[in-house]
Amino acid sequence: MKIIQAINSMIENQDRITNVIQTEEEIFFVYNNKYKWSIHESNQEPNEILLYLYPEKDISIEDLSKIEVWPDTKFIVYKVSDFKTKEVFESFNELYQIVKSKVYGVDDLLDDIITGN
């Protein structure tokens, strides 16, 4: 399952997660300055996390986050329920928590506390 390997790589290299934008529905982000993603928890299904990959190169993450109707935008969606293992849920959830904490600058705050600055 390459997507799980990719998620775990993003978790291990979370400093490469940038341009984090929270909307009402989801959180958009860029990984490694080139891969555009978004992630959110489902309102309809408990423990369901959805991760979207946007392969188009000609649209910015800012523009993606403002789209309200998606007819022409290409994306690939990965869902926890597609895999049905506890480990997959844990990986999706950990990535979601990391991205969510970046929205509020928690990483920088905690780094500041840890280093004593």
Side-chain angles (χ1 to χ4, degrees), residues 52-117:
Y52 298 85
L53 171 60
Y54 304 94
E56 291 185 30
K57 295 181 179 172
D58 296 337
I59 188 165
S60 70
I61 198 73
E62 292 80 8
D63 289 340
L64 278 170
S65 71
K66 294 175 186 172
I67 294 175
E68 292 182 23
V69 180
W70 293 86
D72 297 329
T73 305
K74 294 176 177 53
F75 60 86
I76 301 161
V77 63
Y78 302 96
K79 301 188 288 187
V80 167
S81 61
D82 290 341
F83 303 98
K84 300 187 189 309
T85 69
K86 182 181 177 191
E87 293 78 16
V88 168
F89 172 77
E90 290 171 354
S91 291
F92 271 74
N93 189 51
E94 186 171 355
L95 179 62
Y96 181 65
Q97 297 306 320
I98 289 166
V99 172
K100 195 162 69 169
S101 73
K102 288 185 176 286
V103 168
Y104 301 108
V106 174
D107 277 351
D108 294 337
L109 181 141
L110 294 176
D111 286 344
D112 191 43
I113 292 170
I114 292 166
T115 60
N117 294 327

Side-chain angles (χ1 to χ4, degrees), residues 20-57:
V20 182
I21 301 169
Q22 168 116 37
T23 67
E24 191 174 313
E25 294 288 317
E26 59 197 299
I27 304 172
F28 291 81
F29 63 97
V30 175
Y31 182 76
N32 204 23
N33 292 318
K34 57 184 165 182
Y35 305 111
K36 294 173 281 258
W37 299 85
S38 68
I39 191 167
H40 74 93
E41 289 181 300
S42 172
N43 295 333
Q44 289 87 26
E45 299 177 48
N47 296 323
E48 179 71 283
I49 299 173
L50 295 95
L51 179 66
Y52 298 85
L53 171 60
Y54 304 94
E56 291 185 30
K57 295 181 179 172

